[in-house]
Amino acid sequence: KLNVSKKFAYLSNLSYFLPQVCGCIILGFSIWIRVSSTQQVNTCSHTSTIVFAGVNLLIAVGAIIMILGFLGCCGAAKESRCMLMLFFIALLLILILQITGGILGAVYKPQVEEAFKLSLNASVNALQSTSEEYKEYQEAFQKFEREEKCCGLLDGPKDWGEKFNRPSSNICQCDLEKPSPDLCIPYQNRYIYKKPCGEVIVQQIKDNLVIIMGIAFGLAVIEILGLVFSMSLYCQIGRK
């Protein structure tokens, strides 16, 4: 039979293995968001810094959690107090940063929303521009409109300015054979998509944030377990 110390070490290894699994999940999910959001961000390039900053932070956290899980496993297996203390301190710092980030996010939510609206307004100006500098961006946005069945960013066809009224323009035009009133509306003798793309982008961001918050909450619970096991094992090794 395993003695009490070995049994405790076994449970500790399990608690350190779980952060590794969570780290893998966070890393994989954040990379998926980074890749899948590329098209979304290209259509609203002025918000790319805001969107990708959070995703890049998730990638870093996932990688760090994986490394910490390995450090905790080694410390428990070798009964190294130094490694266990390093694991405890690093995990505690991450937990504090998570809580701080959540509090700051709640406090500065109005400012973030206002900054996002300003970035959308800047993107509207890019849609209306006749400069060649924004031609590629405008083409990417039209592709996004067709894929997501939306029009403009904030005020529908008005966001395109004079470009919308050009004779050869098919901006926002419904590609459906039988336009549904839920998706399309008549406008200047043609059917265009009803929903502004800004609403689509905001909804996509909100959906991703809900998933991220769920993962962060689950990870916080596992981090607390890791802290308890590592400190308990650290104290038990010290008594030998």
Side-chain angles (χ1 to χ4, degrees):
K1 293 183 178 180
L2 295 173
N3 56 36
V4 176
S5 178
K6 292 296 183 181
K7 288 181 179 179
F8 195 85
Y10 175 78
L11 293 174
S12 299
N13 275 322
L14 180 60
S15 68
Y16 305 136
F17 176 72
L18 289 177
Q20 282 186 302
V21 174
C22 288
C24 291
I25 294 173
I26 292 174
L27 190 61
F29 177 75
S30 54
I31 292 175
W32 174 76
I33 293 179
R34 187 69 163 79
V35 174
S36 64
S37 298
T38 300
Q39 178 63 32
Q40 170 189 317
V41 172
N42 285 340
T43 62
C44 193
S45 57
H46 298 280
T47 63
S48 59
T49 302
I50 298 173
V51 175
F52 281 156
V55 177
N56 292 336
L57 180 61
L58 270 181
I59 293 175
V61 169
I64 293 172
I65 291 294
M66 289 176 61
I67 296 172
L68 286 180
F70 178 76
L71 179 66
C73 286
C74 291
K78 296 182 179 181
E79 296 189 352
S80 170
R81 299 188 78 202
C82 179
M83 295 179 72
L84 288 171
M85 182 54 66
L86 287 174
F87 174 81
F88 179 87
I89 293 173
L91 203 59
L92 181 61
L93 288 175
I94 290 178
L95 183 60
I96 292 173
L97 287 174
Q98 282 181 234
I99 296 173
T100 304
I103 294 173
L104 291 176
V107 171
Y108 291 101
K109 183 181 178 182
Q111 289 88 331
V112 172
E113 290 178 348
E114 185 63 28
F116 188 74
K117 289 180 181 178
L118 291 175
S119 67
L120 287 178
N121 290 328
S123 297
V124 170
N125 294 332
L127 289 181
Q128 297 177 354
S129 175
T130 57
S131 172
E132 290 293 323
E133 178 184 356
Y134 295 104
K135 184 177 180 180
E136 184 177 349
Y137 165 74
Q138 292 166 357
E139 291 174 352
F141 193 89
Q142 289 184 58
K143 182 180 178 182
F144 181 80
E145 287 179 327
R146 290 190 295 270
E147 291 177 351
E148 299 297 333
K149 296 179 175 55
C150 57
C151 179
L153 271 170
L154 300 173
D155 294 323
K158 296 179 182 179
D159 292 338
W160 285 98
E162 296 179 358
K163 287 180 174 294
F164 182 84
N165 297 318
R166 291 178 180 176
S168 60
S169 172
N170 61 352
I171 295 172
C172 298
Q173 185 170 333
C174 273
D175 294 330
L176 303 177
E177 295 181 1
K178 295 182 180 180
S180 168
D182 294 332
L183 290 177
C184 306
I185 56 173
Y187 185 84
Q188 294 187 2
N189 299 322
R190 57 173 164 156
Y191 279 93
I192 62 170
Y193 292 116
K194 179 179 179 181
K195 183 185 296 185
C197 293
E199 294 182 10
V200 176
I201 294 172
V202 170
Q203 188 60 47
Q204 289 177 353
I205 293 174
K206 286 182 177 179
D207 291 343
N208 288 335
L209 285 176
V210 169
I211 299 174
I212 291 171
M213 289 173 61
I215 292 177
F217 179 79
L219 181 61
V221 174
I222 295 174
E223 286 170 348
I224 293 173
L225 289 175
L227 289 172
V228 172
F229 276 109
S230 60
M231 183 52 64
S232 299
L233 186 57
Y234 176 87
C235 295
Q236 184 173 340
I237 294 173
R239 296 192 193 102
K240 289 185 177 180

